[in-house]
Amino acid sequence: MTGPELRKISLGRPGQAKAAPVERAEMSQWSRRELFALPGGIYLDGNSLGLMPHSAREAVLRRLGEWQTQGVSGWDDWFSLAESLSPAISRLLGAFPREVIVTGSITANLHALLSTIYRPSGVRRHLLATALDFPTDLYALQSWAALHDTELRLIPSRDGQTIHEGDLLSALGPDIALVLLPTVLYRSGQRLDMARLSALVHEAGALVGWDAAHSIGAMPHELHESGADFAVWCHYKYVNGGPGAPGGLFLHERHHALMPALRGWWGNDKASQFEMTARFRPASGAAAYQQGTPPILSLAALEGSLEVFEGLDLAELRTRSLSLTDTLIALADVQLPELRVLTPRDQARRGGHVSLAHPEARALSAALRSRQIIADFRAPDVLRLAPVALYNTEAELEETVRVLRELLDSGDYKEAAPGGLVT
Ligand SMILES: Cc1ncc(COP(=O)(O)O)c(C=O)c1O
């Protein structure tokens, strides 16, 4: 990998007097692009589904071959496949391997953790989340509020896009037992400060958990050091583990003496799992929160995708990601004044994607797709663009912004018919 390089990018609008070229430090040579199967066109949707690393395909084929040739004997190796991924996953999150496990989905893992760790008692009874959380997180929290006859309170958003720390503090009353926060908000791309907010929640006497779906694989984390009680995430976005890849959970080691409330035989200690007795003996650490037989072929894709991160400096990955989002914001500011940048400009408050608001965002996203530029739309008016540090380039961002400008000028986007689920 080479060091930072200075590169000039023109931010001017085509057909107009060009703005002065802007010089900025960026790591233009920094890329793992060759490790991925690149579909044609420009792919800017890695915050929804990351592209396929060649190593993921190879790992699935290898595991399929084992099934083909070994049948059930393959389990000798597959038995500990999920646990074997914990060192690589824990590195992405700044945790100990025993504090993480690949299993379930974000939704299922929230249920598994909340069932165990959320114990309302006395006045400290209620749950707190943000009004901008991904819906499944809210649904899971609502389930546990209903089961315990407590409330899910929501931290309001002042601008409909971001969460203000002051509003979190005001909502953190003495009756809050547990707070769930997103590391990065899925619509606006606002990043919340895990270390700082975890400490604030703990000072207020509540437990804190994080949904790291939009940050794992895009930036370093300090989950253990932050003192967070638990976390959940998926591997299908920036970790590139494939559609429907199994998720992950983190439980801080200070909670490892707890007995999982929702038990299954796959959470049993491995040494005694096949004794098949009526007594559940929990595996040590986060592994005890597994429930049923893991999906080996899906784990294989993740196993392969994690090879991309081997030896990767996560601070460099973040630097590259910020450089790309800086570039995109700067291009949008100059060339797309009709689109409002919703993502915080302050780097420390920004995740890996950039959200642009426009009343016709759905049609713009569909028109981009018809020109092989894959972004996505989030209702009611957000166009999300994720320049992924591992495989996207400045040239792709320049071309995307050029096409958007052309669409806005010509009005051609009005003819684009939205197709598919996520345009
Ligand atoms: C922040 C966040 N949480 C949860 C989910 C989905 O959860 P699950 O993996 O259970 O489908 C998503 C999906 O995009 C997400 O962005």
Side-chain angles (χ1 to χ4, degrees), residues 47-48 105-108 134 136-137 182 184 186 211 213-214 233-234 236-237 378 384:
N47 61 335
S48 197
S105 62
I106 289 180
T107 316
F134 195 87
T136 207
D137 295 29
V184 173
Y186 78 99
D211 179 337
H214 282 270
W233 59 89
C234 60
Y236 41 75
K237 299 179 188 290
R378 285 292 174 266
R384 292 192 314 178

